[in-house]
Each structure stands twice: as C-alpha cells, then as structure tokens.
Amino acid sequence: MIERAWMVRTSRGSVAIRDSIYAALGGNQGGWLRQGWGWHDGLDLRLIKAKRERGEPLGTDEQDAWRNSPMLGKDAGRGNDAIMVGDLVLLPNIPVNGQFSICEVTGDYQYGEPLADHGDFRHMLPVKRLGFPVANSHAMVPDTLRTRLKARNRIVRLHEFHGNLMALSKLSAKDAGTASSGVERVLSIAQSELQDTATEFADKLRAVFNNSLQAAEWEKAIAVGLEPLLREAEVIHTGGPKERGADLELRFPNPFDSERGWVVLIQVKDYKDKVEVEKAEQLEQAFTSRQQDDNYTDQIVEVMMVVTNAKPSEAMKEKLVALSKDYHIPFTFVEGEALMRAMAQGYLHNLNLFGSSPTT
C-alpha cells in the first residue's frame, strides 16, 4: 500500500473561522475537514465535474472551487493523484498560526451545509484527527517540510513526509506544541498575533476607506498597500487619462530577459452590489492596447479587476472565462475581502511594525 499525505490550506482568516474549522475535525472519533470556496449550491465539485464533462464553460466561482478537485478522490478523474481514503492530511495554521493539525481521511467527498456563522466551507471530507496540533518549528519537523509549509498552493502533495507525520501524530499534547528553541517559540507566537492583528486591521481599514476615499483615491491606496508585499516587483500607478484600461501594473523581473518583464494589469473599481459585464471591456482594452503597441515589450501574464465592495454578475463571470480562453491568459476578479487582507498586511509593513525607522 502506497503511503500518501497532503497539505490542504483552508483558511487563515479570523480566529473564529480557524476555531470552527478545528472544532469540525472532531477528535479520534471522527469529524469533517471543511474547505472553502463553496458558498452556494452550484459549487458542489460533482456538479462542476459534470459541467466540465459536457464541455460547458465554468464561471470564476466554479474555477476557484475546482482547485479543490483532488478532494473528489477516485471520482476526480486524476487517477491516483487525488486525496483517497486512508491518506493523511496536514492543515497549516489550524488551530493557530505557527501550528498544523494532522488527520486521516476516512470517507468520500460531500458537499454539506455551510460552516455555522460563516456561509462557506461546504466542501467536506470525513476525517479522524490524529494526535495534537504540532508547532511548525518542532525539532521533529524536517527543514524540507517546514519549507513546504510556506507553499501558497491550496492542495500540495506531501507523500514523502508520510512517515514524519505519523511520528508527529503520536506526540503528547505538551511535546507536539513545543518549538525547537525559545527564540523560535517567541517568533511563532509573534507571527500568530501579527496575523490576527492584520485580519482585524483589514476590517477596520475597509470601513474607514469606504467612508473616506473617492474612487480615484483607491488606486493609490492599493498601490501603497501592495508594494511592500511585492519586493521583487515594481508597482506602477498608471491611472488617469492615459491608463488604457488599467490603473496599476505589477511588473516582475524576468530572469531570462531583463528587458522584458512579466506584468499583471489591474483595473480598480470602487463599486457596490454587482459589477456588470460591460465593465469587462476595460479589461480587454487594457490587454489589447498594450499588445498592439510596438513600443510595449513586456509580457502580460494576467489581467485583474479589483473591486472594493461588489461581486461580479453571472454575465461578468462568463465574460471573464471567455476572455481567458480568447487571449490564453487569466482574466480574474478580486473581491473586497481578499483585497483588504492584502492591503492590511502591506500597510502594517509600511507602518514599520518590525522596528525600522518611520517612513515619511
């Protein structure tokens, strides 16, 4: 029998969400691994799979949910490259940042009711939690696994660490939560507190900005928030009469051709309620105007609409899927919650919480 393990990244949102996800795991009597990107009935992975098999285009929400497809196990259409009964699953930052939980899959995928008070997390696998939460910096956690914990992918193979996870699952509660040194323990606690601070700050920042910023001011505010998170990228504010459909350009260095960067185009919208399909024209203009410009040598790798307080209409979702197929790059929609989480982290860096001198 092949010993297999996975990392499933669930949520690093509020403390309440993480507490609820951990509680849902139950104990050694069994519970549920709950995954997000499942907030309405149409995001059941089985329905999305059937839609794909019929050759129908997927909306943005469905594409996001389909990244959970390994949870379908043998029904995922991926052969053995999916989460099966008996596999181990590591959940990073559950129940707190700087720790992970380990569980064993005991049954097949289900699409259930939303997690209480959160309206999401309906993708479910029956599991049995093994042992106690383990500190990332525990002496028994290999450096290679600790590095893998930083991966941003939603689902990551950890088959080579199956034996390590089994050993870690047998530790006592006291031993499992013990960092390998006093310094690392302090850093782990500090990281957890800073993440919680960032989440709370994002909520406050959103409320204040909604009441005080005019539409065009959001562009600069977002640029300031993103810049410290993108150390290797140049954040270029292009908004204004010559924006050509994009308010910001994120330009990343190309290691193969220093003269030809990789660019993400961003159109910023301060909207409420729904964003209708007509607004997709600006995204298409942002891409095509640069592609047709002989003096523009950078390679565009993604086009985004970032919206402060609205969701895409169904027609808008379908249009983004069509544009992605037509131009062979992602055309995506980023909603306010994800935007504010990123901005909050950037502003905390700009406010020098790490001890550097104040910016002016």
Side-chain angles (χ1 to χ4, degrees), residues 201 205 344-359:
F201 184 43
L205 203 61
Q345 293 181 53
Y347 273 88
L348 288 174
H349 277 275
N350 278 335
L351 293 171
N352 298 287
L353 292 189
F354 302 101
S356 55
S357 59
T359 54

Side-chain angles (χ1 to χ4, degrees), residues 26-77:
N28 56 16
Q29 300 303 312
W32 297 96
L33 186 165
R34 284 181 170 267
Q35 176 63 300
W37 296 274
W39 49 273
H40 65 71
D41 291 344
L43 298 180
D44 185 326
L45 295 178
R46 295 164 296 194
L47 298 179
I48 298 174
K49 180 189 176 189
K51 193 171 181 179
R52 284 167 53 91
E53 290 173 344
R54 293 193 299 268
E56 299 175 14
L58 301 183
T60 303
D61 294 342
E62 293 168 317
Q63 293 180 53
D64 287 342
W66 187 247
R67 289 170 58 194
N68 293 328
S69 61
M71 295 179 70
L72 282 173
K74 61 182 183 299
D75 295 324

Side-chain angles (χ1 to χ4, degrees), residues 269-340:
K269 295 295 183 188
D270 182 21
Y271 288 160
K272 293 179 174 60
D273 299 323
K274 293 285 185 182
V275 179
E276 298 300 337
V277 67
E278 306 84 57
K279 302 304 178 183
E281 294 178 5
Q282 288 180 290
L283 296 182
E284 187 170 16
Q285 178 202 359
F287 179 77
T288 57
S289 64
R290 288 164 174 79
Q291 291 292 94
Q292 295 165 4
D293 183 350
D294 292 337
N295 295 318
Y296 192 85
T297 58
D298 289 333
Q299 174 66 46
I300 300 169
V301 296
E302 186 165 1
V303 183
M304 292 181 170
M305 178 169 285
V306 174
V307 181
T308 58
N309 293 287
K311 294 182 178 292
S313 66
E314 289 301 317
M316 181 65 164
K317 295 176 188 177
E318 293 173 3
K319 182 63 174 179
L320 292 176
V321 172
L323 289 172
S324 300
K325 289 184 176 180
D326 289 344
Y327 295 112
H328 307 290
I329 63 166
F331 279 70
T332 55
F333 192 100
V334 178
E335 296 182 25
E337 184 177 350
L339 167 66
M340 295 311 303

Side-chain angles (χ1 to χ4, degrees), residues 4 6 8 44-46 49 53 65-87 89 105-110 123-126 155 159:
R4 297 146 46 90
W6 306 80
V8 176
D44 185 326
L45 295 178
R46 295 164 296 194
K49 180 189 176 189
E53 290 173 344
W66 187 247
R67 289 170 58 194
N68 293 328
S69 61
M71 295 179 70
L72 282 173
K74 61 182 183 299
D75 295 324
R78 303 164 57 103
N80 290 324
D81 189 26
I83 301 174
M84 305 290 187
V85 173
D87 288 359
V89 175
V105 179
T106 59
D108 296 329
Y109 170 84
Q110 295 187 36
H123 303 289
M124 299 166 58
L125 283 176
I155 298 179
H159 302 336

